[in-house]
Amino acid sequence: MQQGNTLEKLPLGGDKPRAALDAARDSLNSIILGKDAEISLALACLLARGHLLIEDLPGLGKTILAQSLARVLGLSFQRIQFTSDLLPADIVGVSIFRQESGQFEFQPGPVFAQLVLADEVNRATPKAQSALLEAMEEKQVSVDGKTHALPSPYFVVATQNPSDQIGTFPLPESQLDRFLMRLELGYPNEENERALLTGTDRREMLVEVAPSLTPEVLVALQKSATKVHMTEPLVDYIQALVRFTRESPDIETGLSPRGSLALVAAARAHAFIEQHSGVFPDDVQAVFTSVAGHRLKPASNSAYRMPAELSRHVLDNVSIP
Amino acid sequence: MSKRTGTDGSLLNSLPWTLGALAFSVLPHLQFLPAWVTVIFLGCCAWRLQVERKRWRLPPAWIRIILALLCFIGVLASYESVSGVGPGSALLAVMAALKLLETKQRRDQFVLLFISIFLIMSSLLREQYLWSLPYLFAGVLFTMTAWLRMSDARKISVRQSLGTGARLIAYSAPLMIAMWIFFPRIATPFWAVPIDTSSATSGLSDQMSPGDVSSLSLSNAVAFRVSFDGEVPPPYKRYWRGLVLHRFNGRTWSGNDPAMGSRPRDDVEYLGDPISYQVTMEPTRQHWVFALDVPYDTDLDRTFMARQQQLARIQPIDQRISYNAVSHTDFRLNNELGMTARQYYLALPENSNPRTQEISRNMRETAGSAEDFINQVLKKFNNEEFFYTLEPPALGNNPVDRFLFDTKRGFCEHYASAFAVMMRAAGIPSRIVLGYQGGEMNPMGEYMIVRQADAHAWTEVWLPGRGWYRVDPTAAVAPERIEEGRYGAMLDGVGAAWGLTAPSEWLYQITMTWDALNTKWNEWILAYGPDNQNRFMEWLGMEEPDWRKMILTLVTILVVLVTIISMLLMLRYRPPPKDKAAQLYRKFTESTGVDPDQGETPLSYALRLGTERSEVSAHASQVTSLYLDARYGPPEITSIHKLNSAVREFIRRA
């Protein structure tokens, strides 16, 4: 998708958080090469207070993207490596009996961080998966009848390998829906791969890069992003897209209202990042594949099997009012 | 960090406007303020502008505090007070100037513009001329424009800011008028503003020393304006009585302070028909109130008729006043004159003007009756080589002798004085009346203007059986002065004032029209006090108007007006239909020759257009971004206009 070239700068959020956001984007782009659009989408997802699912083959930089996000956004970071023997307690934490005090004491699990990387989430059993997904949804964890709030802001970046790989438990649709966006990173192009091969080790770079944001600024930016102007014609456009997904014979299940809300939130955040004066159709199209891709189920007889193809089909067939 | 201590130049766009508005508001005050205030004001303006331009630092707090203290002391030293219009406006002006030195942000500019509004309004405390009104509006408009420039200087042209400012004023004008009409007026305002007494206008003086003043200035300034209810009396009857002088020390005539408690009306036998009229008098800082000949009554408050039938007000007339009066030009005054009074009006210093006293006594002896004697004296003025001139020679000691026997040149005061002295020497009680004589009708307004140049002195003599009656010796010398009115003289005066030698008819017309407008202004706007308001309310149908009813009416009217105006505003500021933007965009895509695909966003279309027709790329992306803003951005009136002109420009180039 093209970068916006609008004249006006958004007055929302003031100048300083705005500049910090741009700096964060630049830092991310310097670590992960040639993925400008994906980085914008990942940032948009976080600004829209959504959780992010990165799905791709191993070794394409999913983990490094998640780590960079945590580092650059100045968030506390925890990584959970999902395996088939992972138990819910390994995720949320356990209550341990302390002999000194004679009481049970809650030992928080790795889920208690502002940015949690759930690596290879589809390798764990559904039980472990649902422990994480519940934490994502409720932003709190209940252990032994006690409720523990998760930190704020709270993001989960989950990665998963394509479900056709052996030995995975694919996330069911209802749980996929919990992620605002699903991204695919894809291979880098020749030029970027060369820079990757010859340049500094990415993990070293990651240590050196300074955080551009603080959690407080991030919260302010999230608030500003919800205020981006959205006009009637644009609402018409979103409704037309949603209607098309529900009526098209190529699609078995169309977008739910939660899906269309997600589309609006993501498009707003994207417009905010691109400094558009309002939500443009371009913003909707930019986020559509990542927001709708994992929520749409192609009909069994459809020619469009891949989420990207299906999304493109929708966008190309709905005219912009 | 060093960069942050200087200014960042962000006010550079709006600061000149703020300064301009401030200067415009201070301007009407400057002529009344001490010169150092002007220097400080202009100095601070220039300083602040330079600070912004060169990115200098603003002066530190201690300098500002010292300057503020110095200015305060300066005002105190100049006025010996800090209250009142003069010191108040001086303080406002210097404090506004000093505020400039700590103006860093828009918030400070807001404060400055508030001060600007306050300054321009406070100029009304000094002067309330007709031309103050357009100046006032201009000042408010200037300030509003500066305001608008401040908030959005880059995006909006000066013309648009001015237009918006003017519109805002237009929207508020109905509210202003309603408040002006209905806000209850109070007879004696408890907020009475101390008037700046330093700017006294010239009127008649309380004394008269013919011979001391060697020339009389012909001032065209208006003394008062009169409109008659009935027919206008002929010029020779238009003697406007001011004050009466009866004490003579050989050189100078002086009068009493207005005596109170007398019943002068009992001394008058009013004959003929009463003449009623309305006078609007300019401030004189004196007590005398002018009335035609012998007044019968006036409705002016705190005013009484003094012993010699002159009207006087208890406090000096320091504001323009307006009053109704009734006069008689036929009357008998003081048929009886007591012995004390008689001595009073005959008193002459013994050794003064001996030649006059001698010739007077001789003439009285040869004349048969007192009337004959008076006629002979007038004849003497008429037949001998006496000239009426406004620039007579100075007379020194025994001025009457010198005037009568040597110079024989003078104006009304000389003739009145000489005549009165001759009468007294011959045993006829006499006194001098100062006032105005004549006046000219303004053909544009059906009213009469009496100017300072119409100031006149005449005599009154007392004869047994006849009482006091007027004798105007000037009429014997220069009858045209009295009988013709001053139409011709007026023309000369105006022409001369404008540097023209020949009287010019159009100039006369303009002068008269301006005066008529001013009179309406005085009558309708400035004179709108409690009485006029009550009358107006009754005329509108309000029964027994009082402040409660007026406030109620005012609130009702304000609510209605605000509703109407906000509805108008809502109509006007309703965002333009988005379809308009879509139509313009369609025009644009049609003109490119490249059709947009279904589902193709404007930005991707612009990108494709850029690759297919690279020559239009820049303009196409400009149109596209304007379109996106107009259609999908927040509602702004200007965006659709910008898009419109961009599309037209694009089509024109294609």
Side-chain angles (χ1 to χ4, degrees):
Chain A
M1 209 71 248
Q2 315 78 18
Q3 300 291 307
N5 59 345
T6 48
L7 296 173
E8 318 275 319
K9 289 212 164 194
L10 271 184
L12 299 169
D15 279 350
K16 275 188 187 163
R18 180 77 250 171
L21 180 63
D22 291 340
R25 186 153 70 144
D26 292 345
S27 296
L28 288 169
N29 280 327
S30 71
I31 298 170
I32 299 141
L33 299 172
K35 298 288 169 200
D36 300 25
E38 285 76 7
I39 284 169
S40 287
L41 286 171
L43 280 174
C45 181
L46 299 195
L47 283 185
R49 298 193 179 101
H51 303 291
L52 181 64
L53 178 65
I54 307 177
E55 184 179 281
D56 225 323
L57 295 166
L60 288 173
K62 300 185 295 276
T63 312
I64 201 91
L65 173 62
Q67 283 176 329
S68 316
L69 278 172
R71 176 81 190 162
V72 167
L73 302 182
L75 303 173
S76 62
F77 179 71
Q78 285 282 2
R79 175 177 180 163
I80 312 170
Q81 181 64 50
F82 277 52
T83 54
S84 52
D85 54 356
L86 190 79
L87 295 172
D90 298 333
I91 299 172
V92 298
V94 282
S95 289
I96 297 171
F97 183 74
R98 293 272 175 205
Q99 221 129 34
E100 312 88 79
S101 58
Q103 279 180 331
F104 280 94
E105 193 178 281
F106 180 64
Q107 187 66 43
V111 81
F112 285 88
Q114 287 166 322
L115 196 148
V116 177
L117 170 59
D119 232 351
E120 302 186 57
V121 72
N122 58 342
R123 282 182 61 196
T125 53
K127 199 173 179 183
Q129 285 173 356
S130 60
L132 174 74
L133 294 163
E134 268 175 46
M136 279 164 55
E137 191 67 17
E138 310 294 333
K139 307 226 163 153
Q140 62 184 30
V141 166
S142 293
V143 176
D144 296 338
K146 268 194 177 170
T147 305
H148 305 276
L150 291 167
S152 170
Y154 186 68
F155 299 122
V156 172
V157 178
T159 72
Q160 80 171 351
N161 295 326
S163 47
D164 50 352
Q165 293 223 323
I166 299 163
T168 57
F169 296 93
L171 294 170
E173 277 115 19
S174 65
Q175 305 213 330
L176 277 176
D177 207 31
R178 305 261 168 95
F179 291 95
L180 181 70
M181 284 191 191
R182 185 182 64 173
L183 283 183
E184 288 173 21
L185 286 177
Y187 293 110
N189 64 18
E190 294 262 322
E191 183 194 343
N192 289 322
E193 186 148 21
R194 195 175 183 83
L196 194 69
L197 294 175
T198 53
T200 334
D201 180 56
R202 297 292 120 178
R203 282 180 207 281
E204 272 176 34
M205 255 177 102
L206 192 56
V207 180
E208 283 160 18
V209 73
S212 305
L213 295 176
T214 60
E216 292 75 38
V217 175
L218 187 59
V219 169
L221 283 167
Q222 285 177 333
K223 213 169 178 184
S224 302
T226 60
K227 289 176 186 157
V228 178
H229 191 77
M230 193 163 67
T231 54
E232 294 289 322
L234 196 101
V235 180
D236 293 345
Y237 181 47
I238 288 178
Q239 282 198 305
L241 286 172
V242 171
R243 201 181 310 119
F244 185 86
T245 64
R246 293 173 191 166
E247 290 168 0
S248 166
D250 283 305
I251 300 170
E252 193 180 300
T253 42
L255 279 178
S256 63
R258 192 201 289 179
S260 48
L261 280 174
L263 190 57
V264 167
R268 272 212 163 103
H270 191 268
F272 181 74
I273 290 172
E274 299 294 341
Q275 305 198 15
H276 290 165
S277 59
V279 183
F280 294 174
D282 301 271
D283 298 311
V284 179
Q285 293 206 353
V287 300
F288 188 78
T289 306
S290 10
V291 174
H294 58 289
R295 297 173 208 254
L296 296 178
K297 191 178 174 192
S300 52
N301 58 351
S302 170
Y304 311 104
R305 301 308 311 167
M306 299 302 290
E309 290 169 4
L310 197 58
S311 302
R312 195 67 252 168
H313 168 69
V314 174
L315 292 178
D316 285 345
N317 284 284
V318 176
S319 54
I320 300 166
Chain B
M1 279 311 280
S2 65
K3 252 180 117 181
R4 295 198 55 191
T5 49
T7 55
D8 56 0
S10 60
L11 304 182
L12 204 53
N13 280 323
S14 53
L15 196 65
W17 281 90
T18 309
L19 293 180
L22 207 54
F24 196 83
S25 308
V26 170
L27 196 63
H29 292 281
L30 285 186
Q31 56 165 317
F32 302 102
L33 298 181
W36 64 267
V37 173
T38 313
V39 172
I40 294 246
F41 183 79
L42 292 179
C44 286
C45 286
W47 186 1
R48 186 62 186 85
L49 201 60
Q50 204 62 6
V51 163
E52 198 68 25
R53 213 178 266 158
K54 304 272 184 192
R55 312 279 194 276
W56 288 346
R57 298 170 62 161
L58 285 169
W62 63 270
I63 290 190
R64 298 198 301 263
I65 291 171
I66 289 178
L67 277 175
L69 275 177
L70 285 180
C71 286
F72 187 79
I73 293 169
V75 170
L76 208 57
S78 301
Y79 290 94
E80 293 168 351
S81 151
V82 283
S83 64
V85 177
S89 48
L91 269 181
L92 261 182
V94 289
M95 292 307 157
L98 294 181
K99 177 75 194 167
L100 277 171
L101 300 184
E102 57 172 21
T103 297
K104 281 185 203 137
Q105 318 160 357
R106 287 182 177 176
R107 197 175 55 90
D108 302 313
Q109 270 179 298
F110 272 120
V111 173
L112 281 173
L113 291 174
F114 274 122
I115 298 179
S116 167
I117 292 276
F118 199 77
L119 273 168
I120 192 111
M121 291 304 162
S122 63
S123 69
L124 284 180
L125 296 178
R126 299 183 182 281
E127 295 168 321
Q128 304 184 343
Y129 298 131
L130 175 56
W131 56 259
S132 321
L133 192 68
Y135 194 89
L136 200 80
F137 275 112
V140 174
L141 178 60
F142 204 159
T143 311
M144 296 292 284
T145 309
W147 223 302
L148 294 164
R149 298 305 293 163
M150 201 170 82
S151 33
D152 229 339
R154 272 159 300 166
K155 282 192 211 159
I156 294 174
S157 72
V158 174
R159 239 185 72 206
Q160 278 172 314
S161 307
L162 268 172
T164 310
R167 258 204 315 278
L168 287 175
I169 293 177
Y171 287 133
S172 57
L175 304 182
M176 183 191 78
I177 293 169
M179 305 251 288
W180 182 79
I181 292 176
F182 288 101
F183 196 85
R185 309 283 164 138
I186 295 169
T188 1
F190 47 82
W191 59 80
V193 178
I195 297 285
D196 206 2
T197 43
S198 62
S199 57
T201 46
S202 67
L204 292 180
S205 96
D206 274 352
Q207 293 188 334
M208 184 183 102
S209 314
D212 280 6
V213 185
S214 59
S215 76
L216 183 71
S217 67
L218 255 187
S219 160
N220 267 318
V222 173
F224 51 91
R225 297 181 175 85
V226 191
S227 49
F228 290 96
D229 291 348
E231 223 170 280
V232 180
Y236 66 90
K237 281 194 169 176
R238 296 203 290 256
Y239 281 86
W240 303 95
R241 195 180 191 83
L243 58 155
V244 178
L245 310 177
H246 57 82
R247 260 200 304 270
F248 186 57
N249 67 1
R251 259 184 101 118
T252 302
W253 287 89
S254 58
N256 275 345
D257 282 342
M260 298 159 77
S262 63
R263 290 156 66 199
R265 204 181 289 161
D266 294 350
D267 299 339
V268 191
E269 196 181 327
Y270 292 100
L271 307 170
D273 291 328
I275 300 173
S276 61
Y277 50 94
Q278 199 198 25
V279 179
T280 309
M281 192 177 145
E282 299 295 313
T284 58
R285 323 274 168 208
Q286 291 173 337
H287 297 269
W288 309 110
V289 173
F290 299 102
L292 185 67
D293 230 340
V294 173
Y296 176 76
D297 199 10
T298 176
D299 63 351
L300 189 62
D301 59 341
R302 277 160 292 173
T303 303
F304 59 92
M305 197 193 285
R307 193 166 283 152
Q308 293 149 330
Q309 286 78 39
Q310 63 276 55
L311 291 180
R313 197 166 190 228
I314 290 168
Q315 80 258 47
I317 292 143
D318 47 17
Q319 276 178 322
R320 183 181 294 107
I321 52 166
S322 185
Y323 52 90
N324 290 302
V326 179
S327 287
H328 287 257
T329 50
D330 286 333
F331 50 84
R332 265 172 201 280
L333 271 181
N334 294 73
N335 267 331
E336 305 297 322
L337 197 63
M339 272 313 288
T340 340
R342 215 181 142 84
Q343 293 303 321
Y344 211 63
Y345 291 115
L346 284 173
L348 274 180
E350 277 189 19
N351 300 321
S352 74
N353 305 305
R355 284 191 280 169
T356 309
Q357 298 208 25
E358 194 190 331
I359 192 177
S360 182
R361 277 192 285 271
N362 293 343
M363 283 173 75
R364 177 69 186 91
E365 274 161 28
T366 50
S369 66
E371 275 96 344
D372 281 349
F373 168 67
I374 291 168
N375 284 335
Q376 276 176 21
V377 173
L378 290 177
K379 231 174 250 164
K380 174 180 163 69
F381 284 144
N382 197 359
N383 296 343
E384 290 180 28
E385 293 206 326
F386 283 96
F387 292 106
Y388 183 86
T389 172
L390 295 173
E391 291 177 345
L395 298 176
N397 283 334
N398 295 325
V400 181
D401 277 5
R402 282 268 293 153
F403 169 69
L404 275 182
F405 297 99
D406 304 336
T407 64
K408 299 190 175 180
R409 271 158 182 71
F411 48 85
C412 55
E413 292 189 0
H414 299 79
Y415 292 100
S417 170
F419 185 80
V421 170
M422 286 184 77
M423 290 301 119
R424 287 191 176 190
I428 300 173
S430 64
R431 61 191 185 191
I432 289 176
V433 186
L434 291 185
Y436 295 86
Q437 198 281 321
E440 63 179 315
M441 288 306 290
N442 185 336
M444 311 294 157
E446 295 297 301
Y447 63 93
M448 180 175 286
I449 308 170
V450 178
R451 295 172 190 278
Q452 294 301 343
D454 293 318
H456 192 49
W458 62 93
T459 46
E460 283 181 339
V461 295
W462 185 88
L463 292 180
R466 198 161 168 195
W468 287 105
Y469 73 101
R470 180 177 60 239
V471 180
D472 187 354
T474 313
V477 184
E480 68 282 357
R481 165 76 176 79
I482 308 304
E483 273 157 29
E484 282 175 9
R486 289 187 59 260
Y487 184 80
M490 166 68 208
L491 267 182
D492 283 343
V494 172
W498 288 79
L500 298 172
T501 43
S504 133
E505 186 60 27
W506 63 267
L507 202 55
Y508 173 77
Q509 294 279 349
I510 289 173
T511 315
M512 283 298 153
T513 310
W514 177 243
D515 194 90
L517 281 176
N518 258 306
T519 305
K520 294 283 174 236
W521 169 254
N522 294 342
E523 261 175 36
W524 292 348
I525 309 295
L526 297 187
Y528 191 69
D531 295 345
N532 283 350
Q533 188 176 36
N534 274 344
R535 232 169 287 149
F536 189 65
M537 291 299 129
E538 273 164 9
W539 182 82
L540 284 181
M542 189 188 284
E543 282 165 25
E544 293 172 33
D546 66 357
W547 65 270
R548 284 181 204 84
K549 288 181 189 167
M550 288 186 211
I551 288 280
L552 206 66
T553 318
L554 177 61
V555 169
T556 316
I557 289 176
L558 286 186
V559 167
V560 170
L561 277 178
V562 166
T563 315
I564 292 174
I565 292 169
S566 29
M567 272 160 70
L568 283 175
L569 282 176
M570 266 155 63
L571 278 180
R572 183 181 166 81
Y573 285 101
R574 199 173 48 183
K578 292 287 177 183
D579 297 342
K580 177 82 177 153
Q583 280 170 15
L584 286 168
Y585 185 68
R586 205 170 302 129
K587 253 192 212 168
F588 156 73
T589 53
E590 279 162 7
S591 74
T592 57
V594 180
D595 288 336
D597 293 334
Q598 192 185 18
E600 187 174 32
T601 65
L603 282 177
S604 32
Y605 173 74
L607 209 68
R608 187 158 66 90
L609 193 64
T611 52
E612 289 181 23
R613 292 185 58 196
S614 57
E615 75 278 3
V616 297
S617 169
H619 292 290
S621 61
Q622 191 205 355
V623 169
T624 304
S625 85
L626 285 173
Y627 163 66
L628 286 170
D629 286 340
R631 188 125 197 260
Y632 297 105
E636 248 182 71
I637 310 159
T638 50
S639 57
I640 198 91
H641 300 318
K642 284 185 196 160
L643 175 63
N644 190 12
S645 49
V647 168
R648 250 193 245 157
E649 174 74 10
F650 184 87
I651 293 172
R652 197 181 57 78
R653 281 169 188 267

